[in-house]
């Protein structure tokens, strides 16, 4: 299993920065970095993240003290790609970087979305209080992203078997992060608040929990709370994994600034999460 604690603290070079919607930018960083070891210059590769992990990112120079948690959207051997929504100072600085500039990087941090074939998911499914799963049938899976929460779940969906999941993308107006999902997903459902794309409305207008055994989601807390409640009270009672977006400071498990409440007591969102079984978190 991959460590939830950050494995590198370094500065990575911006390969590209592209505006993908009104306030959302795609930031691509090079994974190969120069590191000084005494007088020697070493070439180091930022370790492979697993789907669901994030990095603490900070533009250089910066007016903010601490990095901001940003999920990995996509990665390959050479690059890490992030989707960043301009919110306050830290994310605005990250959206304003130029090609060749340095960005401070700490990570990868956190756990991952458990694979549908993993022992963890199998045990959770078999402990469901409702229907038992027909062992000869594949699990039915929904992947749900709300707004910028699309980034980690869309990246995760790219690792699932093609045609093995339905994808729900819920946005205010413009869309981003959905490249390739129209082909990979069995069904791609889009909602927008203003009706400019897909169905006008919200997740609750299109989502039926009784269709699924397993749900993965990231997005605004009200959407995650809706999913938790609707799945828990449904007949089929799908297992739900939520990636939570909590304010963070150290991003390394040390400051307790990201504590969330669970039925097992307090947990650190950064290194005990950010992915939690919805049945265990108190939202
Ligand atoms: C695990 C994790 C993964 C994330 N992944 C992404 C991502 O892929 N792309 C992306 O754009 N954003 C992501 N975020 C949210 C992002 O970290 C915050 O928007 C960012 O920290 C805000 O920093 P700022 O300096 O721009 O704004 P600030 O000035 O710090 O805050 C501006 C506003 O954003 C709110 N805010 C601050 N931190 C958070 C937070 N963690 N969640 C929700 N609201 C917050 C503040 O209350 C304030 O209203 C993620 C957060 C977490 C915890
Ligand atoms: S952000 Fe410091 S413990 Fe999680």
């Amino acid at each position: 299993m991959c460590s939830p604690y950050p494995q590198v603290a370094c500065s990575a070079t911006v390969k590209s920065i592209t505006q993908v919607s009104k306030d959302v930018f795609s930031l691509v960083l090079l994974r190969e970095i120069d590191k000084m070891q005494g007088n020697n210059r070493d070439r180091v590769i930022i370790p492979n993240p697993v789907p669901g992990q994030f990095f603490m990112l900070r533009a250089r120079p910066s007016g903010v003290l601490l990095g901001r948690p940003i999920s990995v959207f996509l990665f390959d051997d050479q690059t890490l790609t992030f989707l960043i929504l301009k919110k306050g100072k830290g994310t605005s600085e990250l959206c304003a970087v130029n090609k060749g500039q340095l960005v401070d990087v700490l990570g990868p941090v956190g756990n991952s979305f458990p694979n549908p074939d993993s022992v963890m998911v199998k045990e959770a499914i078999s402990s469901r209080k409702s229907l038992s799963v027909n062992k000869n049938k594949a699990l039915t899976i929904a992947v749900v992203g709300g707004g910028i929460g699309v980034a980690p779940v869309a990246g995760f969906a790219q690792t699932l078997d093609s045609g093995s999941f339905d994808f729900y993308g819920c946005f205010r107006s413009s869309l981003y992060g959905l490249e390739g999902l129209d082909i990979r997903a069995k069904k791609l459902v889009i909602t927008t608040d203003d009706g400019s794309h897909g169905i006008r409305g919200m997740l609750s207008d299109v989502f039926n929990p009784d269709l699924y055994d397993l749900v993965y989601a990231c997005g605004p807390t009200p959407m995650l709370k809706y999913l938790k409640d609707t799945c828990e009270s449904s007949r089929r009672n799908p297992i739900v994994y939520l990636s939570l977006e909590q304010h963070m400071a150290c991003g390394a498990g040390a400051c307790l600034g990201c504590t969330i409440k669970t039925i097992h007591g307090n947990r650190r969102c950064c290194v005990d999460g950010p992915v939690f079984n919805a049945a265990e978190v108190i939202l």
Side-chain angles (χ1 to χ4, degrees), residues 247-258 268-271:
H247 289 236
M248 288 186 187
C250 71
C255 72
L256 306 185
C258 63
R268 297 159 301 175
C269 186
C270 62
V271 291

Side-chain angles (χ1 to χ4, degrees), residues 184-261:
R184 290 193 68 81
K186 191 160 66 174
K187 188 168 78 175
L188 174 62
V189 182
I190 292 166
T191 67
T192 48
D193 292 352
D194 63 5
S196 55
H197 296 88
I199 295 157
R200 180 194 288 268
M202 296 189 296
L203 182 65
S204 51
D205 297 312
V206 293
F207 185 78
N208 177 358
D210 285 324
L211 296 178
Y212 300 106
D213 301 307
L214 193 52
V215 178
Y216 299 94
C218 184
T221 305
M223 187 192 93
L224 299 187
K225 190 165 169 21
Y226 157 76
L227 262 180
K228 173 178 160 68
D229 292 346
T230 195
C231 290
E232 279 176 4
S233 59
S234 71
R235 202 172 40 83
R236 191 145 173 175
N237 198 217
I239 298 298
V240 182
Y241 290 99
L242 303 177
S243 178
L244 302 183
E245 296 205 343
Q246 192 72 2
H247 289 236
M248 288 186 187
C250 71
C255 72
L256 306 185
C258 63
T259 302
I260 60 151
K261 289 193 186 314

Side-chain angles (χ1 to χ4, degrees), residues 23-25 52-56 64 66-73 82-95 109 148-152 218 221 243-248 258 269-270 273-275:
D23 288 320
V24 179
F25 289 71
Q53 284 193 309
F54 63 94
F55 284 82
M56 301 297 284
V64 297
L66 301 163
R68 299 299 194 245
I70 304 291
S71 302
V72 178
F73 173 44
F82 303 90
L83 288 179
I84 305 180
L85 169 69
K86 256 202 243 180
K87 248 193 164 171
K89 196 161 181 183
T91 49
S92 297
E93 287 178 355
L94 287 166
C95 293
V109 192
I148 199 64
V150 151
C218 184
T221 305
S243 178
L244 302 183
E245 296 205 343
Q246 192 72 2
H247 289 236
M248 288 186 187
C258 63
C269 186
C270 62
V275 180

